[in-house]
Amino acid sequence: MNKNPVSNHSLNPPEPSMAFSGDDTAIDIQDFAGYNQLIITLYRCLNSNQGFQPFFEEFQKQFRCLQGGILGLTHRPIRMIFGWTFGYPEGFEQWFLNSDLPQQDAALLHFSALPPRQFDSLTGCNPEVDILDLVGEKTRAWAEQAGLGDSAGMLVSRSDDSQVVFLANRHRSEGHYTPKELLQMNLLAPHIENAVSLFQTLYQSRTENETLTMALDHVSKPMIVFNELAQVVQCNSAAEAIVVTHPKLFVSGNGESRLRSRSAEFNRKLNDAILTSIFNARHGIQEVITLFDQAGNERIAVCITPLANEQSGSFGALGEIIAFQASSPPDLDKLTQLFDCTQAEARTASHLMQGLTADEIAREEHLSIHTVREYIKSLLAKNGYRRQAELVGALVRALG
């Protein structure tokens, strides 16, 4: 990791400033000891391979938090583009990411509307306010099940097209956040902004995937490597040739370097798939996500695979782009040989690799949905795949 100083930022923490001075909000020596430990842990995260996890553990202990994280979000609609989280049950990030909840989450909406570096409590530190009365209908059931009592957070930073939000939820049994706790958090606020900004800048210069990214230039198949921030860190020449000429697909500039689509719907699916794969990489889940998009006769499939370097502790995703003509049907004889299937199953497989659903295949082949599902089950069983997405990814890679 390049640890040279970054302009407008310093590894030396800024001096804290007091915001309150009453009995209920006064900061004592013990509080400052906890505060100093948090600062030390936060800046140590810049030199570790664990992201912000050590800081989250210290923050969680100090403020008795249930869960939370640092989330990179688009503006309108609010969608996650990267994130580090703590305390959520396994699979929560993927579920949250692949739903419409981020743009309906009362805490995210509230904290992203704040001035930067200013912590606030969603309930206003008022014990009489029930957080369930503040959240939307779609998140109320989850908040009630999780036993949510309050949420504190701040806007870390905002740019033209994105923002970073820090939030920390608290269980109902721990009571509401207090003004004194918000004061302590506000002392941390400039440090959090500093650390996140430095981490983003330094992360772009990391070389843990250097061997892999260099190797990609010797691979004829179009491949892209994404880092933990879902940014493109390597696009081999084959992938670049597609991205440069494709009517929809492109890599954004302005220092963001993200794989984008000019189709809003596909762009959302692409972002969600990349981020889901990064979360999966952190949890040791190796599942391929395959997406399809079409522009006239030009069809592309994008296969996203979790990428983890356990030795260095870095995570990301590998994207494979397969371009083909929608009017050119797959070779059925080759399908039967490679995937040990009948001609009828091969026809179903050929539709799957074109992005059709079981219902669409049934209509196309004039079959019952039950028959199509049986063909898919047979293809899965014969080839040792548990999920349809794995089968589709294999089909696309083999014959795209």
Side-chain angles (χ1 to χ4, degrees):
M1 182 186 292
N2 179 5
K3 298 181 177 63
N4 293 328
V6 180
S7 59
N8 298 324
H9 293 281
S10 169
L11 286 172
N12 295 319
E15 291 296 322
S17 59
M18 291 296 196
F20 302 98
S21 58
D23 290 339
D24 293 336
T25 58
I27 300 292
D28 56 29
I29 294 175
Q30 186 176 354
D31 294 327
F32 264 114
Y35 163 80
N36 288 331
Q37 184 59 44
L38 278 164
I39 294 297
I40 292 167
T41 307
L42 177 62
Y43 284 101
R44 278 180 181 165
C45 291
L46 298 174
N47 300 307
S48 77
N49 292 320
Q50 301 180 61
F52 288 99
Q53 195 58 41
F55 172 71
F56 288 154
E57 291 173 3
E58 196 67 32
F59 191 95
Q60 199 170 11
K61 181 171 63 176
Q62 176 100 355
F63 294 104
R64 309 188 313 283
C65 304
L66 175 66
Q67 59 210 186
I70 297 171
L71 308 178
L73 309 162
T74 56
H75 288 312
R76 293 192 182 94
I78 292 181
R79 303 288 302 176
M80 282 178 63
I81 51 176
F82 65 85
W84 297 271
T85 62
F86 66 92
Y88 292 103
E90 185 176 337
F92 173 85
E93 297 99 334
Q94 294 89 331
W95 169 75
F96 189 73
L97 172 67
N98 290 287
S99 70
D100 292 324
L101 293 181
Q103 57 189 330
Q104 301 173 38
D105 189 283
L108 288 181
L109 291 171
H110 179 71
F111 301 142
S112 61
L114 293 171
R117 302 173 302 282
Q118 179 178 309
F119 270 94
D120 196 12
S121 155
L122 187 58
T123 63
C125 299
N126 186 346
E128 302 300 319
V129 175
D130 189 337
I131 197 171
L132 296 180
D133 294 332
L134 304 177
V135 299
E137 183 178 345
K138 288 192 175 182
T139 54
R140 189 176 295 116
W142 169 81
E144 190 168 14
Q145 184 179 9
L148 209 64
D150 200 359
S151 183
M154 77 162 192
L155 175 67
V156 178
S157 62
R158 180 186 286 122
S159 63
D160 290 340
D161 57 359
S162 63
Q163 57 203 347
V164 180
V165 171
F166 177 95
L167 64 88
N169 297 330
R170 175 177 275 182
H171 194 270
R172 187 177 295 270
S173 62
E174 296 289 354
H176 288 53
Y177 286 108
T178 65
K180 179 178 178 178
E181 288 173 321
L182 285 190
L183 168 58
Q184 292 175 277
M185 292 180 189
N186 277 321
L187 293 175
L188 286 170
H191 300 284
I192 294 173
E193 180 202 27
N194 202 16
V196 170
S197 178
L198 281 168
F199 191 94
Q200 288 180 272
T201 304
L202 294 172
Y203 201 98
Q204 294 177 38
S205 62
R206 281 187 177 179
T207 58
E208 282 96 274
N209 287 321
E210 184 176 0
T211 303
L212 173 62
T213 55
M214 288 177 65
L216 290 187
D217 279 329
H218 302 286
V219 178
S220 59
K221 290 187 176 182
M223 292 187 174
I224 296 175
V225 174
F226 304 93
N227 66 14
E228 197 168 347
L229 300 178
Q231 296 168 326
V232 174
V233 293
Q234 179 71 10
C235 180
N236 72 0
S237 54
E240 192 171 328
I242 292 177
V243 169
V244 168
T245 59
H246 197 270
K248 291 184 181 179
L249 217 57
F250 67 99
V251 174
S252 63
N254 300 323
E256 282 290 303
S257 296
R258 300 188 187 279
L259 185 63
R260 301 289 195 192
S261 172
R262 292 180 176 86
S263 163
E265 181 180 358
F266 188 72
N267 189 63
R268 169 179 165 175
K269 290 179 181 178
L270 189 61
N271 175 76
D272 290 357
I274 294 168
L275 193 51
T276 296
S277 289
I278 294 169
F279 280 126
N280 284 344
R282 294 176 190 167
H283 294 293
I285 301 170
Q286 289 297 314
E287 292 184 355
V288 177
I289 301 174
T290 304
L291 305 175
F292 295 91
D293 194 28
Q294 185 170 345
N297 193 39
E298 297 290 328
R299 183 183 289 271
I300 60 165
V302 182
C303 298
I304 311 292
T305 305
L307 194 61
N309 187 331
E310 298 295 340
Q311 189 173 7
S312 66
S314 60
F315 304 97
L318 178 67
E320 300 170 70
I321 305 175
I322 298 97
F324 49 95
Q325 302 292 313
S327 58
S328 301
D331 186 332
L332 294 184
D333 290 335
K334 192 174 181 181
L335 269 172
T336 59
Q337 294 172 9
L338 290 176
F339 290 88
D340 186 27
C341 59
T342 66
Q343 281 284 319
E345 290 167 350
R347 284 195 297 274
T348 296
S350 71
H351 290 306
L352 286 174
M353 64 172 293
Q354 296 276 344
L356 271 63
T357 64
D359 286 333
E360 291 168 336
I361 296 170
R363 288 195 295 270
E364 186 75 19
E365 292 290 324
H366 304 291
L367 298 170
S368 71
I369 185 65
H370 173 74
T371 300
V372 172
R373 285 174 179 160
E374 286 301 313
Y375 287 157
I376 294 173
K377 283 182 183 178
S378 178
L379 285 162
L380 290 169
K382 288 178 178 179
N383 294 280
Y385 296 114
R386 295 181 298 106
R387 299 171 61 252
Q388 185 173 318
E390 295 174 319
L391 172 64
V392 172
L395 288 166
V396 169
R397 287 187 176 110
L399 290 161

